């Protein structure tokens, strides 16, 4: 196989992957969730209760990559909740809508107002 063919196939695969990620991402889906500052009225609010702050992850598991951090007492915007790896008996994780679209363990995020909807 020629180098040109390999590069063409790689480019097609990368473009296809970007389309899948874009379609699956709430921030890019285009269904009125475009505010990246978390001020949209349909977001839920929570306060970080972890004493040393909370590591934010790319998946709802403790072993996934850390992609952000929220400080103790910080108010965060929550897009939705989903079951994931249990953290001290709590299996729920919140998808935070503060620009990173990262997951935080619900065990360490206290709801302010209504409980978030399911993802």
């Amino acid at each position: 196989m020629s180098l040109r063919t390999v590069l063409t196939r790689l480019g097609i695969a990368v473009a296809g992957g970007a389309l899948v990620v874009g379609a699956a991402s709430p921030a890019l889906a285009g269904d009125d969730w475009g505010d990246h500052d978390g001020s949209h009225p349909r977001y839920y609010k929570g306060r970080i209760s972890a004493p040393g702050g909370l590591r934010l992850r790319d998946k709802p598991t403790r072993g996934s990559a850390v992609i952000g951090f929220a400080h103790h007492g910080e108010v965060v915007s929550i897009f939705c909740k989903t079951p994931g790896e249990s953290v001290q008996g709590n299996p729920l994780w919140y998808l935070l809508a503060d620009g990173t679209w990262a997951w935080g363990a619900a065990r360490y995020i206290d709801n302010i107002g209504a409980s978030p909807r399911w993802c």
Side-chain angles (χ1 to χ4, degrees), residues 64-107:
S64 63
V66 175
I67 60 173
F69 187 83
H71 297 279
H72 175 79
E74 183 178 340
V75 174
V76 294
S77 295
I78 303 167
F79 183 74
C80 61
K81 66 183 173 187
T82 194
E85 182 178 353
S86 183
V87 176
Q88 292 190 355
N90 187 335
L92 297 179
W93 287 71
Y94 293 153
L95 180 58
L96 303 184
D98 294 325
T100 58
W101 294 97
W103 293 96
R107 166 65 180 88

